[in-house]
Short mmCIF file of all heavy atoms in Angstrom, two decimals:
data_model
loop_
_atom_site.label_atom_id
_atom_site.label_comp_id
_atom_site.label_asym_id
_atom_site.label_seq_id
_atom_site.Cartn_x
_atom_site.Cartn_y
_atom_site.Cartn_z
N ASN C 131 32.64 -52.42 -22.54
CA ASN C 131 32.66 -53.83 -22.93
C ASN C 131 32.01 -54.75 -21.92
O ASN C 131 31.59 -55.85 -22.27
CB ASN C 131 34.09 -54.27 -23.26
CG ASN C 131 35.03 -54.15 -22.09
OD1 ASN C 131 34.66 -54.37 -20.94
ND2 ASN C 131 36.28 -53.80 -22.38
N GLY C 132 31.91 -54.38 -20.65
CA GLY C 132 31.26 -55.20 -19.66
C GLY C 132 32.00 -56.47 -19.28
O GLY C 132 31.42 -57.40 -18.75
N PHE C 133 33.30 -56.50 -19.52
CA PHE C 133 34.07 -57.70 -19.24
C PHE C 133 34.07 -58.02 -17.74
O PHE C 133 34.16 -57.13 -16.91
CB PHE C 133 35.52 -57.55 -19.70
CG PHE C 133 35.69 -57.55 -21.19
CD1 PHE C 133 36.86 -57.09 -21.76
CD2 PHE C 133 34.69 -58.00 -22.05
CE1 PHE C 133 37.07 -57.08 -23.13
CE2 PHE C 133 34.87 -58.00 -23.43
CZ PHE C 133 36.06 -57.54 -23.96
N THR C 134 33.98 -59.31 -17.43
CA THR C 134 33.91 -59.77 -16.05
C THR C 134 34.93 -60.83 -15.70
O THR C 134 35.02 -61.26 -14.56
CB THR C 134 32.51 -60.36 -15.75
OG1 THR C 134 32.28 -61.49 -16.59
CG2 THR C 134 31.41 -59.32 -15.94
N PHE C 135 35.70 -61.31 -16.69
CA PHE C 135 36.57 -62.44 -16.46
C PHE C 135 37.79 -62.38 -17.37
O PHE C 135 37.71 -61.90 -18.50
CB PHE C 135 35.79 -63.74 -16.73
CG PHE C 135 36.53 -65.01 -16.39
CD1 PHE C 135 36.88 -65.32 -15.10
CD2 PHE C 135 36.84 -65.91 -17.39
CE1 PHE C 135 37.54 -66.49 -14.77
CE2 PHE C 135 37.50 -67.10 -17.09
CZ PHE C 135 37.86 -67.39 -15.77
N SER C 136 38.92 -62.86 -16.87
CA SER C 136 40.12 -62.92 -17.71
C SER C 136 40.07 -64.23 -18.50
O SER C 136 39.25 -65.11 -18.24
CB SER C 136 41.37 -62.90 -16.84
OG SER C 136 41.53 -64.13 -16.18
N THR C 137 40.97 -64.37 -19.41
CA THR C 137 41.07 -65.62 -20.17
C THR C 137 41.89 -66.65 -19.44
O THR C 137 42.08 -67.75 -19.94
CB THR C 137 41.70 -65.36 -21.55
OG1 THR C 137 42.97 -64.76 -21.35
CG2 THR C 137 40.82 -64.49 -22.40
N MET C 138 42.37 -66.33 -18.28
CA MET C 138 43.27 -67.18 -17.48
C MET C 138 44.55 -67.49 -18.25
O MET C 138 45.20 -68.48 -18.02
CB MET C 138 42.57 -68.46 -17.02
CG MET C 138 41.38 -68.18 -16.13
SD MET C 138 40.70 -69.58 -15.26
CE MET C 138 40.49 -70.82 -16.47
N GLU C 139 44.89 -66.62 -19.20
CA GLU C 139 46.13 -66.73 -19.94
C GLU C 139 47.10 -65.72 -19.38
O GLU C 139 46.84 -65.08 -18.37
CB GLU C 139 45.87 -66.52 -21.43
CG GLU C 139 44.97 -67.56 -22.05
CD GLU C 139 44.59 -67.23 -23.49
OE1 GLU C 139 44.95 -66.16 -23.99
OE2 GLU C 139 43.90 -68.06 -24.09
N SER C 140 48.20 -65.54 -20.04
CA SER C 140 49.24 -64.64 -19.55
C SER C 140 48.84 -63.16 -19.64
O SER C 140 49.45 -62.31 -18.98
CB SER C 140 50.55 -64.88 -20.29
OG SER C 140 50.36 -64.66 -21.66
N LYS C 141 47.83 -62.82 -20.45
CA LYS C 141 47.41 -61.44 -20.58
C LYS C 141 46.76 -60.97 -19.27
O LYS C 141 45.97 -61.68 -18.68
CB LYS C 141 46.39 -61.27 -21.71
CG LYS C 141 46.95 -61.55 -23.08
CD LYS C 141 45.94 -61.21 -24.16
CE LYS C 141 44.84 -62.25 -24.22
NZ LYS C 141 43.91 -62.05 -25.33
N GLN C 142 47.14 -59.77 -18.85
CA GLN C 142 46.56 -59.20 -17.64
C GLN C 142 45.22 -58.55 -17.98
O GLN C 142 44.99 -58.10 -19.09
CB GLN C 142 47.50 -58.14 -17.05
CG GLN C 142 48.79 -58.75 -16.52
CD GLN C 142 48.54 -59.64 -15.33
OE1 GLN C 142 47.80 -59.31 -14.43
NE2 GLN C 142 49.16 -60.81 -15.33
N GLY C 143 44.35 -58.48 -17.00
CA GLY C 143 43.09 -57.76 -17.17
C GLY C 143 41.94 -58.65 -17.59
O GLY C 143 42.07 -59.87 -17.72
N LEU C 144 40.81 -58.03 -17.75
CA LEU C 144 39.57 -58.75 -18.11
C LEU C 144 39.42 -58.79 -19.63
O LEU C 144 39.63 -57.77 -20.30
CB LEU C 144 38.38 -58.04 -17.46
CG LEU C 144 38.45 -57.93 -15.95
CD1 LEU C 144 37.32 -57.05 -15.41
CD2 LEU C 144 38.41 -59.29 -15.30
N HIS C 145 39.02 -59.94 -20.14
CA HIS C 145 38.94 -60.10 -21.60
C HIS C 145 37.63 -60.78 -22.05
O HIS C 145 37.47 -61.03 -23.24
CB HIS C 145 40.13 -60.93 -22.12
CG HIS C 145 41.44 -60.36 -21.75
ND1 HIS C 145 41.99 -59.26 -22.38
CD2 HIS C 145 42.32 -60.69 -20.78
CE1 HIS C 145 43.14 -58.96 -21.83
NE2 HIS C 145 43.36 -59.81 -20.85
N ASN C 146 36.76 -61.14 -21.13
CA ASN C 146 35.56 -61.90 -21.48
C ASN C 146 34.35 -61.37 -20.73
O ASN C 146 34.45 -60.84 -19.63
CB ASN C 146 35.72 -63.37 -21.13
CG ASN C 146 36.79 -64.02 -21.95
OD1 ASN C 146 36.71 -64.03 -23.16
ND2 ASN C 146 37.81 -64.54 -21.29
N ARG C 147 33.20 -61.58 -21.34
CA ARG C 147 31.91 -61.19 -20.73
C ARG C 147 31.05 -62.43 -20.53
O ARG C 147 30.01 -62.58 -21.11
CB ARG C 147 31.23 -60.18 -21.66
CG ARG C 147 30.10 -59.48 -21.01
CD ARG C 147 29.64 -58.29 -21.84
NE ARG C 147 28.35 -57.95 -21.32
CZ ARG C 147 27.20 -58.25 -21.88
NH1 ARG C 147 27.17 -58.84 -23.05
NH2 ARG C 147 26.08 -57.94 -21.31
N CYS C 148 31.53 -63.32 -19.69
CA CYS C 148 30.79 -64.59 -19.49
C CYS C 148 29.72 -64.48 -18.43
O CYS C 148 28.82 -65.33 -18.37
CB CYS C 148 31.76 -65.73 -19.21
SG CYS C 148 32.91 -65.43 -17.91
N ASP C 149 29.75 -63.46 -17.60
CA ASP C 149 28.76 -63.28 -16.53
C ASP C 149 27.73 -62.26 -16.98
O ASP C 149 28.08 -61.13 -17.33
CB ASP C 149 29.47 -62.82 -15.25
CG ASP C 149 30.59 -63.76 -14.88
OD1 ASP C 149 30.30 -64.84 -14.37
OD2 ASP C 149 31.77 -63.43 -15.14
N ARG C 150 26.46 -62.65 -16.96
CA ARG C 150 25.41 -61.77 -17.49
C ARG C 150 24.11 -61.92 -16.71
O ARG C 150 23.91 -62.91 -16.01
CB ARG C 150 25.14 -62.11 -18.97
CG ARG C 150 26.39 -61.99 -19.83
CD ARG C 150 26.11 -62.26 -21.26
NE ARG C 150 27.35 -62.38 -22.01
CZ ARG C 150 27.49 -62.07 -23.28
NH1 ARG C 150 26.46 -61.61 -23.98
NH2 ARG C 150 28.65 -62.21 -23.89
N ILE C 151 23.26 -60.93 -16.89
CA ILE C 151 21.90 -60.96 -16.35
C ILE C 151 20.96 -60.70 -17.52
O ILE C 151 21.15 -59.73 -18.27
CB ILE C 151 21.69 -59.87 -15.27
CG1 ILE C 151 22.67 -60.05 -14.11
CG2 ILE C 151 20.25 -59.87 -14.79
CD1 ILE C 151 22.66 -58.90 -13.12
N PHE C 152 19.96 -61.55 -17.67
CA PHE C 152 18.93 -61.38 -18.70
C PHE C 152 17.57 -61.20 -18.03
O PHE C 152 17.32 -61.79 -16.98
CB PHE C 152 18.89 -62.61 -19.62
CG PHE C 152 20.13 -62.82 -20.42
CD1 PHE C 152 21.15 -63.63 -19.94
CD2 PHE C 152 20.28 -62.23 -21.66
CE1 PHE C 152 22.30 -63.82 -20.69
CE2 PHE C 152 21.42 -62.42 -22.42
CZ PHE C 152 22.44 -63.22 -21.92
N HIS C 153 16.73 -60.41 -18.65
CA HIS C 153 15.38 -60.19 -18.11
C HIS C 153 14.35 -60.41 -19.21
O HIS C 153 14.64 -60.27 -20.40
CB HIS C 153 15.25 -58.77 -17.55
CG HIS C 153 15.43 -57.69 -18.58
ND1 HIS C 153 16.67 -57.21 -18.97
CD2 HIS C 153 14.54 -57.02 -19.34
CE1 HIS C 153 16.52 -56.28 -19.88
NE2 HIS C 153 15.23 -56.15 -20.14
N ALA C 154 13.15 -60.80 -18.79
CA ALA C 154 12.02 -60.98 -19.73
C ALA C 154 10.74 -60.55 -19.02
O ALA C 154 10.57 -60.82 -17.84
CB ALA C 154 11.92 -62.43 -20.18
N GLY C 155 9.86 -59.93 -19.77
CA GLY C 155 8.57 -59.51 -19.22
C GLY C 155 8.24 -58.09 -19.63
O GLY C 155 9.16 -57.27 -19.81
N ASP C 156 6.96 -57.80 -19.76
CA ASP C 156 6.50 -56.47 -20.19
C ASP C 156 6.89 -55.35 -19.24
O ASP C 156 7.14 -54.24 -19.65
CB ASP C 156 4.99 -56.47 -20.37
CG ASP C 156 4.55 -57.19 -21.63
OD1 ASP C 156 5.40 -57.43 -22.50
OD2 ASP C 156 3.35 -57.52 -21.72
#
Side-chain angles (χ1 to χ4, degrees):
N131 61 36
F133 290 164
T134 61
F135 186 64
S136 74
T137 56
M138 298 193 310
E139 296 173 356
S140 59
K141 295 187 285 186
Q142 293 294 315
L144 302 172
H145 304 283
N146 295 301
R147 193 168 165 258
C148 51
D149 306 283
R150 302 182 190 209
I151 301 171
F152 294 92
H153 63 275
D156 285 344

